[in-house]
Amino acid sequence: MTQTDIDQILSLVHEGNKLAAVKLLMDTAHIGLKEAKDIIDDVFLGKETDINERVKRVSYSDTAERFTAESGPNGENPHFFYHKGSIKEEVTPAHPMWERIKTVFAPIEGLPADIARMRENYAKAIEEMEAKAGYTPKKNAQTTQKGQAPNRKEQASSDKKDTLFIKKSPLDFLKWYFYLFIAAAIVYMIYLFINH
């Protein structure tokens, strides 16, 4: 995180706009919602003074999920990513997490002008990617109005089935047969050893 990011976050907190501060902290530090909310609450209450140090202490477990976007220096050609633990996967309209990307990077009112402009660029890029791919939203997909914060609880429950983005191979069931074979071989070897 840069000092400019921290100054913007502190400014939002002092203005009383904690929601925008949490969102900005999540986007710039690439941490989860709960961690960002805890940090902003502590800053608001005066319990935390060094945001960078606190962010460094946040560690991800193997099940932590987050979304990031990367673009060129002027915000051109953005790419969206889904992270789960240490795994990073690019998200396109064909990806099961696409609807959540649309929700996470939807424009939000009350952000500083440069951050709002960046998010508008992301929203525009999302529309262009959908048009290029011929994407049509899922039947149960929720649309987010421009300027409204997305309802993350509803979105998370609708995407519950998509939270494991790594597709299973049709041959995954064979690994259990392999484990059973190894266990049977060990038992048989012990049996032979005891009887000889």
Side-chain angles (χ1 to χ4, degrees):
M1 287 177 58
T2 65
Q3 189 59 44
T4 305
D5 296 331
I6 294 172
D7 292 342
Q8 289 177 340
I9 290 167
L10 292 173
S11 173
L12 288 168
V13 170
H14 294 305
E15 291 170 6
N17 196 347
K18 288 173 35 175
L19 177 63
V22 168
K23 187 66 183 152
L24 183 56
L25 181 58
M26 287 172 58
D27 291 345
T28 56
H30 307 298
I31 61 175
L33 175 63
K34 182 185 182 318
E35 293 85 358
K37 182 186 176 305
D38 290 345
I39 292 171
I40 294 302
D41 285 343
D42 287 348
V43 169
F44 184 75
L45 297 173
K47 295 179 182 177
E48 186 65 55
T49 56
D50 190 350
I51 294 176
N52 251 343
E53 185 59 36
R54 179 75 177 270
V55 167
K56 288 177 186 174
R57 291 192 310 246
V58 174
S59 61
Y60 290 105
S61 69
D62 289 340
T63 59
E65 294 179 324
R66 68 187 192 281
F67 299 92
T68 60
E70 296 174 6
S71 61
N74 296 322
E76 75 278 354
N77 194 23
H79 294 274
F80 302 97
F81 297 93
Y82 173 65
H83 304 260
K84 187 171 179 100
S86 61
I87 299 171
K88 177 181 178 181
E89 186 171 306
E90 185 169 2
V91 180
T92 62
H95 196 281
M97 288 295 165
W98 183 249
E99 289 298 324
R100 289 185 60 191
I101 285 288
K102 287 170 54 175
T103 302
V104 168
F105 291 101
I108 296 176
E109 290 181 5
L111 292 176
D114 54 339
I115 301 297
R117 192 175 329 107
M118 181 178 60
R119 291 183 72 83
E120 286 174 7
N121 288 343
Y122 288 155
K124 191 162 121 183
I126 286 170
E127 289 175 9
E128 290 170 359
M129 290 171 76
E130 286 182 344
K132 188 175 182 180
Y135 176 81
T136 54
K138 296 177 184 176
K139 286 182 182 178
N140 65 347
Q142 299 173 358
T143 56
T144 305
Q145 297 293 324
K146 187 175 180 179
Q148 288 183 339
N151 186 332
R152 290 178 181 268
K153 285 184 181 177
E154 291 175 11
Q155 185 66 31
S157 67
S158 72
D159 287 333
K160 194 104 174 155
K161 63 180 181 277
D162 292 333
T163 55
L164 294 177
F165 66 99
I166 301 170
K167 293 182 172 59
K168 292 186 176 181
S169 165
L171 301 176
D172 274 355
F173 73 94
L174 289 178
K175 73 178 178 185
W176 295 109
Y177 288 115
F178 176 74
Y179 294 146
L180 287 173
F181 174 76
I182 296 296
I186 292 171
V187 168
Y188 183 69
M189 288 179 4
I190 292 171
Y191 171 77
L192 289 176
F193 181 74
I194 290 173
N195 288 332
H196 287 291

